[in-house]
Amino acid sequence: DTEVTQTPKHLVMGMTNKKSLKCEQHMGHRAMYWYKQKAKKPPELMFVYSYEKLSINESVPSRFSPECPNSSLLNLHLHALQPEDSALYLCASSPQGGTAYNEQFFGPGTRLTVL
Amino acid sequence: AQRVTQPEKLLSVFKGAPVELKCNYSYSGSPELFWYVQYSRQRLQLLLRHISRESIKGFTADLNKGETSFHLKKPFAQEEDSAMYYCALSLNNTDKLIFGTGTRLQVFP
């Protein structure tokens, strides 16, 4: 399997809901990323896990909580989101962590709508 | 501060015309630069990286440290090149990738 998969494809949630986004890769990559992409904007980095440890948190509000249960899986737990959090959430992976040289492989994204 | 600038939101050309998508960066360290592309209804994917010095799908990009630029060029555009192109800067010894605002390339028949 040479792709990054993300579930669900679409998610609609209310501001009081708790939901989770899931990302999976089986390429043996050791770095995994969450990005947020608003319409007609570039991806913005949220979190990076490198060798299953959180290495970067770009000052993301605590209503977003990442989790890396193992080297193949990355979750993003959502709680008490705001309508402005509606966006496409992209997951990516790369072979190694802590280096600038690696290609990042992106998933198709989860389109999140917060009502 | 680190920054990537793509001055053109939209670039429209006819098939067979040369294409140049501009990218300028601001970074005090040694830059690692990439071009990522997103075709319609497809996921974001790497097109090329400066360290590889390769040509992919006829596209090339040269890092000019003096002008802090990494422009993407193709001598003869094809309709299938129509896509969103993002220039990206990777910071040394980190996992952080900073994207430019993107340029939409439209190639007309």
Side-chain angles (χ1 to χ4, degrees):
Chain A
D1 191 350
T2 58
E3 283 193 339
V4 175
T5 59
Q6 290 187 244
T7 54
K9 287 187 178 179
H10 302 275
L11 179 62
V12 179
M13 61 186 289
M15 290 189 283
T16 58
N17 291 158
K18 282 186 182 181
K19 296 286 184 184
S20 296
L21 309 185
K22 180 179 169 182
C23 172
E24 210 160 356
Q25 57 86 15
H26 296 286
M27 295 179 280
H29 289 177
R30 302 310 304 274
M32 295 185 77
Y33 312 76
W34 280 116
Y35 288 87
K36 176 182 178 179
Q37 187 175 26
K38 301 282 272 184
K40 298 185 194 283
K41 298 288 187 185
E44 289 180 22
L45 185 64
M46 300 174 70
F47 302 104
V48 182
Y49 274 84
S50 180
Y51 301 95
E52 296 153 59
K53 287 185 168 38
L54 184 64
S55 62
I56 295 178
N57 176 343
E58 289 287 280
S59 303
V60 179
S62 59
R63 57 186 185 269
F64 295 91
S65 175
E67 180 196 17
C68 188
N70 58 59
S71 59
S72 301
L73 191 54
L74 186 66
N75 297 320
L76 186 63
H77 303 298
L78 315 172
H79 174 53
L81 293 195
Q82 303 296 310
E84 59 264 28
D85 296 322
S86 298
L88 183 69
Y89 288 84
L90 296 171
C91 175
S93 70
S94 67
Q96 292 176 296
T99 173
Y101 300 103
N102 284 317
E103 172 181 358
Q104 290 189 22
F105 293 77
F106 284 83
T110 293
R111 187 158 300 282
L112 174 67
T113 303
V114 182
L115 301 177
Chain B
Q2 307 94 359
R3 190 169 59 246
V4 178
T5 304
Q6 294 180 249
E8 304 132 333
K9 282 189 176 179
L10 175 65
L11 186 61
S12 299
V13 300
F14 286 102
K15 177 182 171 182
V19 167
E20 183 179 50
L21 286 77
K22 293 188 179 356
C23 172
N24 288 91
Y25 66 91
S26 173
Y27 181 45
S28 57
S30 184
E32 294 301 330
L33 287 149
F34 303 80
W35 277 99
Y36 279 81
V37 61
Q38 191 164 28
Y39 301 101
S40 179
R41 295 191 174 82
Q42 293 187 30
R43 61 186 70 195
L44 193 60
Q45 59 187 285
L46 179 69
L47 180 63
L48 55 80
R49 70 192 96 182
H50 106 265
I51 197 170
S52 301
R53 298 183 179 279
E54 56 198 346
S55 172
I56 303 291
K57 298 185 178 182
F59 284 97
T60 58
D62 290 317
L63 178 61
N64 185 325
K65 291 188 178 180
E67 296 183 358
T68 61
S69 69
F70 187 57
H71 303 329
L72 184 68
K73 299 177 184 179
K74 184 170 183 176
F76 307 104
Q78 303 299 313
E79 288 178 69
E80 55 266 29
D81 296 329
S82 296
M84 190 72 170
Y85 290 81
Y86 291 101
C87 182
L89 168 69
S90 190
L91 308 185
N92 296 142
N93 301 317
T94 77
D95 299 296
K96 190 168 178 177
L97 194 62
I98 299 172
F99 285 90
T101 48
T103 297
R104 179 164 297 283
L105 175 64
Q106 288 182 331
V107 181
F108 295 110

